[in-house]
Amino acid sequence: MDSETRIPRAALLDFVSAVYVRAGMPEDDARLAADTLVQADLWGHQSHGVMRLPWYLARIEAGVCAAVAQPEIAIDAGAVAVLDGNEGMGQVVAARAMDEAIRRATSFGIGAVSVRNSNHFGTAMYFTLMAARAGCIGFLSTNASPAMAPWGGREKSVGTNPWSWAAPAGSHAPLVLDIANTAVARGKIYLAKQNDAMIPRGWALDATGAPTTDPSEALAGVVLPMAQHKGYAIAAVMDVLSGVLSGSAFGAAVHGPYQAEHRSGAGHLAIVLNIAAFQPLAEFNGRMERYIAELKSAAPAQDFDEIFYPGEIEARNDARNRAEGIQYPLKTLAELQRVAQRLGIDAP
Amino acid sequence: MDSETRIPRAALLDFVSAVYVRAGMPEDDARLAADTLVQADLWGHQSHGVMRLPWYLARIEAGVCAAVAQPEIAIDAGAVAVLDGNEGMGQVVAARAMDEAIRRATSFGIGAVSVRNSNHFGTAMYFTLMAARAGCIGFLSTNASPAMAPWGGREKSVGTNPWSWAAPAGSHAPLVLDIANTAVARGKIYLAKQNDAMIPRGWALDATGAPTTDPSEALAGVVLPMAQHKGYAIAAVMDVLSGVLSGSAFGAAVHGPYQAEHRSGAGHLAIVLNIAAFQPLAEFNGRMERYIAELKSAAPAQDFDEIFYPGEIEARNDARNRAEGIQYPLKTLAELQRVAQRLGIDAP
């Protein structure tokens, strides 16, 4: 059940930042990490929002994630680089990787930064949008702890391995893709559990391999890939790009944000294309506006009022939630309250 | 119904090459274009195999696809380039783009070639495998003629927009992803029609927007995206990368290989990462072998004997079909026979 009051973005940002600072993070890093959580809520992706704060906090307190992130360039080779995250907060490491990739793309037309020894970074589109705002097209992939079986298997050994592309879109908010390769993001199952809701059939199998609609049983079992073998194949490729290529952990050796006792081992890959190297940015923006107008002009199907381009729903949610504040499930607010009390910080 | 005899690869290659040469293609280009079709059959992807020869031929004969491909570099900017296909055969243009991207990746660690004014290139993995064989990771996307509605729409305005990634895998055949973003590749519906077979529910809607299992009705209606809104979002991104960024056609302005009366306008994007810029290739190959061993080690699910890594089934089919020859539906053989008679060439 949701709270009736809406909490303003600024209050949330201050609170989450204060928690991260109390945990030992430098002020700037704390604000960045806080912003990634609050921004996910603004977009309407509460499964990746401040609901996750206690998990990140537990990992910092357990010492498996460094509060003071010290990512360093392990290989610097012009258009490409390898960034060692040194077990720092994934959000801080991913932002650094994207900054580096944008800088390299500006010089070379394209840039790539391969990241090892990082952590769960939250929502991938937070970082690809950095590229879009810089007049670039951005790609970011990560591997993640095992969440689904390989296609044809019944043991969970393949991660959700999310990936994102974002591109500027002229007068519109950027066109953005941000997906996990499971039939559903695991966070959505946590959110259902948080809300005492059932999940649809087709999202997951229970521990015995049977279909289930109970979020707790699903979390003990195995999530199904999206689009059957296709989602499995995409997830495998994202692990090759993120884990195998970077020299980080891959496959079952990657640990997720829900476990406070293991280092993550997560790896990422950021690729950025500088649009101006291919055509004038203004021309690209005009073409994007025409493309979006065309997508939205198709006659709507039954039960739909409007066709959205990818990223449009998030942009609308963001505008509303920024203006009116964010509503949370009461359970989430209670957890934030517990964190606040324990650390002696005012809850938002 | 399939023919009982298996046709050897060499005979098919000679026949298809001879047809393309008769249509005006230079010998080398004809053999390349022929190889892409025969190779698709070797992999077991007959929907993209020599069954398509009459369509490509019709486009060359109609003058909408140039028999003598003359792709030229429109922008040459170090790690990135824009290649103008000048309406040449997509297979020839895509191979040139991949060669250029590999060459640039070898110098810069990463390379990208954006392609405009090309044509349908057949199977994307044919070209990403060029990168894998060169010790690189290859990506290739294309846009395609409208095949599905945008999510929430009932008019077909979004292409299948296939994309592929391939990576070397040590002693194994490369790990390869090659997918369209529709619930099914349109070619598989053509193949079902060719074989007088029905299609599963969930693949397509008919022209009135109702589900159908009849391939002819499906071809007159609309294919559904894979994974619902996710497949729509991926398809849109692939059009941004392939069509909007390259300066080629995008959206409904792209025409497919089934229509002989329109220029294609298809655009592509090739991205290549040189593995050696990130870690020694031998180390990467060792890591890939461990990753594949892990994927394959999961206990099989009900009705499965073995877990395959992405690309493994194609590699097995290739080994068998290379040794034993390829079986075709009788309808396909009859069509090849008609092409052979018309052009005065011996059928395979």
Side-chain angles (χ1 to χ4, degrees):
Chain A
M1 203 174 69
D2 275 9
S3 142
E4 281 175 26
T5 56
R6 290 179 164 266
I7 307 179
R9 168 179 178 269
L12 285 158
L13 212 45
D14 288 345
F15 168 71
V16 180
S17 299
V19 169
Y20 278 140
V21 166
R22 189 65 58 90
M25 288 180 68
E27 178 72 32
D28 285 355
D29 289 358
R31 280 205 89 77
L32 167 68
D35 191 51
T36 65
L37 291 179
V38 176
Q39 184 60 63
D41 286 328
L42 291 170
W43 285 323
H45 295 176
Q46 291 204 350
S47 57
H48 286 66
V50 300
M51 162 187 153
R52 296 202 166 199
L53 177 61
W55 301 336
Y56 287 116
L57 189 61
R59 290 183 55 78
I60 295 171
E61 288 174 344
V64 294
C65 174
V68 182
Q70 294 180 302
E72 53 188 341
I73 301 282
I75 295 175
D76 187 343
V80 303
V82 176
L83 184 70
D84 193 320
N86 284 324
E87 319 295 336
M89 280 287 282
Q91 290 80 350
V92 177
V93 175
R96 170 72 189 282
M98 194 51 73
D99 271 337
E100 285 285 341
I102 293 168
R103 196 168 61 76
R104 287 157 202 270
T106 307
S107 299
F108 295 94
I110 188 167
V113 177
S114 174
V115 184
R116 62 168 77 128
N117 304 323
S118 183
N119 269 286
H120 193 274
F121 57 45
T123 306
M125 67 185 273
Y126 186 90
F127 308 99
T128 52
L129 282 170
M130 292 169 59
R133 279 187 218 105
C136 297
I137 296 176
F139 168 83
L140 180 64
S141 66
T142 185
N143 57 11
S145 56
M148 62 176 162
W151 185 244
R154 66 171 188 263
E155 284 172 347
K156 102 179 157 183
S157 69
V158 178
T160 54
N161 302 354
W163 52 293
S164 171
W165 283 98
S171 58
H172 300 287
L175 185 147
V176 192
L177 166 76
D178 183 356
I179 58 171
N181 302 301
T182 35
V184 65
R186 200 161 32 175
K188 290 222 165 69
I189 302 180
Y190 277 98
L191 185 65
K193 189 181 171 187
Q194 191 90 336
N195 288 331
D196 294 322
M198 306 303 271
I199 58 168
R201 262 177 109 79
W203 280 16
L205 304 176
D206 69 16
T208 73
T212 180
T213 56
D214 179 297
S216 299
E217 284 183 10
L219 291 167
V222 87
V223 175
L224 294 168
M226 73 172 189
Q228 303 181 307
H229 63 286
K230 290 184 184 181
Y232 160 53
I234 297 173
V237 163
M238 295 305 149
D239 206 353
V240 169
L241 296 178
S242 308
V244 180
L245 180 66
S246 65
S248 209
F250 54 84
V254 181
H255 293 281
Y258 320 111
Q259 308 163 296
E261 67 274 26
H262 295 289
R263 67 175 284 268
S264 161
H268 323 310
L269 177 65
I271 299 176
V272 174
L273 295 142
N274 181 21
I275 292 164
F278 299 88
Q279 65 180 278
L281 181 57
E283 210 173 287
F284 178 87
N285 276 320
R287 289 164 66 81
M288 285 298 289
E289 289 176 1
R290 293 205 302 281
Y291 183 53
I292 286 172
E294 184 183 303
L295 289 176
K296 291 183 69 68
S297 73
Q302 213 176 348
D303 301 330
F304 286 84
D305 293 327
E306 184 179 359
I307 291 165
F308 298 101
Y309 71 87
E312 188 175 11
I313 292 174
E314 286 80 2
R316 282 206 196 167
N317 288 340
D318 180 81
R320 183 186 173 189
N321 290 328
R322 254 172 216 269
E324 302 178 7
I326 305 168
Q327 272 186 310
Y328 288 99
L330 292 173
K331 275 195 185 172
T332 302
L333 294 181
E335 277 179 23
L336 296 183
Q337 191 68 48
R338 275 195 294 279
V339 168
Q341 276 172 351
R342 182 162 66 79
L343 300 182
I345 296 171
D346 287 341
Chain B
M1 203 173 70
D2 275 8
S3 141
E4 282 177 23
T5 56
R6 288 178 165 266
I7 307 178
R9 168 180 179 268
L12 285 159
L13 212 45
D14 287 347
F15 169 70
V16 180
S17 299
V19 168
Y20 278 141
V21 166
R22 189 63 58 90
M25 288 179 69
E27 178 71 32
D28 285 357
D29 290 358
R31 279 205 89 78
L32 167 68
D35 192 50
T36 65
L37 292 179
V38 175
Q39 184 60 63
D41 286 327
L42 291 170
W43 284 324
H45 295 176
Q46 291 206 348
S47 57
H48 286 67
V50 300
M51 164 189 152
R52 296 202 165 196
L53 177 61
W55 302 335
Y56 287 116
L57 189 61
R59 291 183 55 78
I60 295 172
E61 289 174 344
V64 295
C65 174
V68 182
Q70 294 180 302
E72 53 188 342
I73 302 281
I75 296 175
D76 187 344
V80 303
V82 176
L83 184 69
D84 192 321
N86 284 324
E87 320 293 336
M89 279 287 282
Q91 290 80 351
V92 177
V93 175
R96 170 70 189 282
M98 194 51 73
D99 271 336
E100 285 285 341
I102 293 168
R103 196 167 61 73
R104 288 158 201 271
T106 307
S107 298
F108 295 94
I110 188 167
V113 177
S114 174
V115 184
R116 63 168 78 128
N117 305 322
S118 183
N119 269 285
H120 193 273
F121 57 45
T123 306
M125 67 185 273
Y126 186 91
F127 307 99
T128 52
L129 282 170
M130 291 169 59
R133 280 187 218 104
C136 297
I137 296 177
F139 168 82
L140 180 63
S141 65
T142 186
N143 56 10
S145 55
M148 62 177 163
W151 184 246
R154 65 171 188 264
E155 284 172 345
K156 108 181 153 179
S157 69
V158 177
T160 53
N161 301 355
W163 52 295
S164 171
W165 283 96
S171 59
H172 299 288
L175 185 147
V176 192
L177 165 76
D178 182 355
I179 58 171
N181 302 302
T182 35
V184 65
R186 200 163 30 174
K188 289 220 166 68
I189 302 181
Y190 276 99
L191 185 64
K193 189 181 171 190
Q194 191 89 336
N195 288 331
D196 295 322
M198 305 302 273
I199 59 168
R201 264 178 107 81
W203 279 17
L205 305 177
D206 68 16
T208 72
T212 181
T213 57
D214 179 297
S216 299
E217 283 183 9
L219 291 168
V222 88
V223 176
L224 294 168
M226 72 172 191
Q228 304 180 307
H229 64 286
K230 291 184 183 180
Y232 159 54
I234 297 173
V237 163
M238 294 305 149
D239 206 353
V240 169
L241 296 177
S242 308
V244 180
L245 180 66
S246 65
S248 208
F250 54 83
V254 181
H255 292 281
Y258 319 111
Q259 308 162 296
E261 66 276 21
H262 294 289
R263 67 176 285 269
S264 160
H268 322 310
L269 178 65
I271 299 176
V272 174
L273 295 142
N274 182 22
I275 293 164
F278 299 88
Q279 66 179 279
L281 181 58
E283 211 173 285
F284 178 87
N285 275 319
R287 289 164 67 82
M288 285 298 290
E289 288 175 3
R290 293 206 301 281
Y291 183 52
I292 286 172
E294 185 183 303
L295 289 176
K296 292 183 69 70
S297 72
Q302 214 175 351
D303 302 329
F304 286 84
D305 293 327
E306 183 179 1
I307 291 164
F308 298 102
Y309 71 87
E312 187 175 11
I313 292 174
E314 286 80 1
R316 280 206 197 168
N317 287 340
D318 180 81
R320 182 185 174 193
N321 290 328
R322 253 171 219 269
E324 301 178 7
I326 305 167
Q327 272 186 309
Y328 288 100
L330 292 173
K331 275 194 185 172
T332 302
L333 294 179
E335 276 179 23
L336 295 182
Q337 191 68 47
R338 273 195 294 279
V339 168
Q341 276 173 349
R342 183 162 63 81
L343 300 181
I345 296 169
D346 287 340

